[in-house]
């Protein structure tokens, strides 16, 4: 008898966990939300900003990355790979954003960014340029749109 109930129980628990993960879990309180920060090994100072001010859920948009050396000098001709996801949900980005242009010295445009839900997202950059290869991770918390309580 027990064996017959187990598959149902497993499915039910998975569904409950999924719901909790996608709408109820709140981001850690001490999350570092700076949009300018040094890369992991301090090779670069990195800033990010959305090119259009509003970040709408489920809408493709673009970001600008500013890349500088320790003294603030712009870093040109970098190869930057973009990755990310939601650490609390165990999923990655819904799209594959990539750098499409160096707009000016040390300023790079990233196209194809999309966030598919509210909550805590990580945006991870893998940078390879004159000062070597280094990584940086930014935390973004996308708030629930007003008037949207989340759960139906
Ligand atoms: Cu998620």
């Amino acid at each position: 008898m027990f064996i017959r109930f187990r598959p149902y129980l497993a499915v039910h628990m998975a569904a409950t966990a999924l719901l909790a993960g996608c709408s109820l879990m709140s981001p850690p309180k001490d999350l570092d939300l700076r949009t300018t920060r040094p890369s992991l090994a301090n090779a670069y100072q990195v800033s990010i900003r959305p090119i259009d001010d509003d970040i709408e859920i489920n809408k493709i948009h673009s970001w600008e990355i500013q890349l500088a050396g320790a003294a603030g000098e712009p870093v040109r001709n970098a190869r930057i790979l973009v990755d990310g996801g939601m650490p609390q949900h165990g999923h990655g980005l819904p799209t594959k954003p990539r750098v499409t242009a160096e707009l000016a010295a040390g300023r790079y445009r990233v196209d194809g960014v999309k966030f598919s839900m509210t909550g805590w997202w990580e945006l991870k950059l893998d940078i390879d340029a004159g000062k070597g290869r280094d990584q940086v991770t930014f935390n973004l918390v996308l708030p629930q749109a007003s008037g949207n309580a989340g759960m139906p």
Side-chain angles (χ1 to χ4, degrees):
M1 283 305 269
F2 281 114
I3 290 162
R4 290 189 50 168
F5 282 97
R6 259 178 211 160
Y8 164 74
L9 196 65
V11 167
H12 178 76
M13 283 169 66
T16 307
L18 204 66
L19 275 175
C22 284
S23 54
L24 300 179
M25 202 180 289
S26 51
K29 296 248 182 301
D30 56 350
L31 215 50
D32 186 341
L33 297 172
R34 284 176 302 162
T35 54
T36 296
R37 53 192 307 167
S39 55
L40 221 52
N42 272 308
Y44 306 104
Q45 279 289 332
V46 193
S47 300
I48 57 166
R49 67 170 190 93
I51 286 178
D52 302 314
D53 283 334
D54 288 337
I55 303 171
E56 272 188 64
I57 301 295
N58 275 324
K59 239 182 162 178
I60 300 262
H61 58 277
S62 302
W63 287 68
E64 185 182 311
I65 299 168
Q66 269 197 50
L67 191 59
E73 76 281 13
V75 174
R76 300 170 153 256
N77 301 316
R79 191 276 289 131
I80 304 174
L81 302 178
V82 183
D83 198 3
M86 298 188 85
Q88 291 171 315
H89 300 179
H91 64 74
L93 295 173
T95 56
K96 298 202 182 308
R98 52 188 201 90
V99 171
T100 52
E102 186 171 353
L103 301 168
R107 291 173 48 208
Y108 301 85
R109 181 187 174 101
V110 180
D111 284 322
V113 181
K114 187 172 98 169
F115 300 111
S116 45
M117 60 181 78
T118 57
W120 172 28
W121 289 85
E122 283 182 334
L123 211 54
K124 301 174 180 217
L125 306 180
D126 183 300
I127 300 158
D128 199 356
K131 292 185 165 50
R133 191 164 175 193
D134 207 353
Q135 284 84 33
V136 63
T137 299
F138 293 95
N139 297 301
L140 305 167
V141 175
L142 302 191
Q144 213 124 83
S146 54
N148 177 5
M151 299 287 281

